[in-house]
Amino acid sequence: MSFTMTSKDYVAYIKMAAKKIHDNGDYISELDATTGDGDHWANINMGFENLVAAGDEMEAMPICDVFKKIGMLMMSKIGGSSGVLYGGAYMAAAKAVAGKATIDSQDLCLVLETMVNDMMTRGKAQPGYKTMIDSLYPAAQTYKACLERGDSDKDTMAAVKKAAMDGAEETKKMEAVKGRASYQANKGVGHLDPGAVTMSYQLECLCDYVSENLL
Ligand code: ADP
Ligand code: MG
């Protein structure tokens, strides 16, 4: 069982995620003002605005080049740690699916796995460090497990979405090891990590998009 995701689909998903991020501006800014320097929403929102603006151009590319373009835009348009981490992760994903015009479910799983591995290496971070990795890592692990078990695509998308959202929620009780929250006396304990929340928004939109449009 699988599905085919085209560049057009990926751009449509990016537009969904851009709206979700845009609509939660005050909430995310408040989260980052509490444990960081308050700019996370402005950073990521600016990045997604640039991705949406490049939408028409990206729709016409093979999906491997879409990932490369997203990586370059995120690297150059998003300030702060997130720009470098998302930029590097998307460029690594482009290499993982090099030559592919479209991707299937196995490829999408590989993309998420490649992204989280790149983020962990680049950011010198592990799961449990109270970062965006705490949403993406369980999502990628769950996706892999579902594929190995041969779960239906509907069940897989629902499980990946839940893992991403639960993972972000888990950051509330974590002590930050990386990122600005680690500079705080209480290491951010009791507060959600903003980067994990915006990561979970993206994964939520991705799973919903696939489930509602490709299955
Ligand atoms: P900055 O911390 O430079 O102000 P942002 O505000 O854009 O950057 O992003 C903050 C988010 O980046 C954090 O909430 C966290 O999820 C993530 N983050 C920060 N440092 C790291 C790291 N070393 N590895 C993974 N994620 C990180
Ligand atoms: Mg910040």
Side-chain angles (χ1 to χ4, degrees), residues 5 10 43 64 71 105 115 118 137 142 176 180 191 196 200 205 209:
M5 190 170 206
Y10 208 81
N43 288 340
C64 56
S105 192
M115 289 178 90
D118 188 83
Y137 184 84
T142 299
R180 292 182 198 275
H191 303 285
S200 74
C205 290
Y209 181 85

Side-chain angles (χ1 to χ4, degrees):
M1 245 177 307
S2 192
F3 52 80
T4 300
M5 190 170 206
T6 65
S7 299
K8 227 175 160 167
D9 290 318
Y10 208 81
V11 169
Y13 143 65
I14 287 288
K15 288 180 181 168
M16 263 173 82
K19 182 175 185 323
K20 176 94 189 176
I21 289 168
H22 180 265
D23 291 351
N24 285 278
D26 291 346
Y27 174 58
I28 300 298
S29 293
E30 215 178 286
L31 288 180
D32 196 37
T34 307
T35 59
D37 57 354
D39 64 350
H40 179 65
W41 179 78
N43 288 340
I44 197 104
N45 187 61
M46 163 86 81
F48 271 85
E49 278 179 4
N50 277 279
L51 299 186
V52 170
D56 288 350
E57 185 193 339
M58 293 198 296
E59 279 184 1
M61 297 174 173
I63 204 157
C64 56
D65 292 350
V66 172
F67 293 149
K68 189 169 171 198
K69 177 84 186 172
I70 293 176
M72 280 164 23
L73 283 172
M74 286 186 140
M75 190 77 89
S76 63
K77 304 290 182 189
I78 306 184
S81 322
S82 356
V84 180
L85 291 167
Y86 274 101
Y90 263 106
M91 289 199 218
K95 283 195 190 135
V97 296
K100 299 211 179 197
T102 63
I103 54 171
D104 64 14
S105 192
Q106 300 275 352
D107 296 327
L108 186 58
C109 180
L110 175 67
V111 161
L112 297 188
E113 222 190 326
T114 304
M115 289 178 90
V116 77
N117 286 336
D118 188 83
M119 281 183 171
M120 291 196 291
T121 310
R122 202 174 296 272
K124 299 184 176 58
Q126 293 290 319
Y129 282 17
K130 200 180 183 85
T131 70
M132 51 177 98
I133 288 164
D134 291 306
S135 176
L136 181 54
Y137 184 84
Q141 290 293 110
T142 299
Y143 203 158
K144 220 174 145 181
C146 288
L147 287 179
E148 278 165 12
R149 273 199 306 269
D151 290 355
S152 75
D153 291 330
K154 278 266 181 210
D155 288 352
T156 299
M157 286 303 121
V160 172
K161 173 175 161 175
K162 185 175 186 313
M165 292 170 76
D166 289 351
E169 197 57 41
E170 286 282 305
T171 62
K172 195 168 198 166
K173 55 179 187 242
M174 290 176 189
E175 281 188 15
V177 181
K178 286 282 173 185
R180 292 182 198 275
S182 65
Y183 309 149
Q184 298 212 334
N186 75 343
K187 310 283 181 201
V189 174
H191 303 285
L192 291 168
D193 174 62
V197 175
T198 55
M199 176 66 81
S200 74
Y201 288 168
Q202 291 165 69
L203 291 164
E204 186 188 340
C205 290
L206 180 66
C207 293
D208 283 347
Y209 181 85
V210 170
S211 221
E212 289 160 18
N213 299 282
L214 305 183
L215 304 183

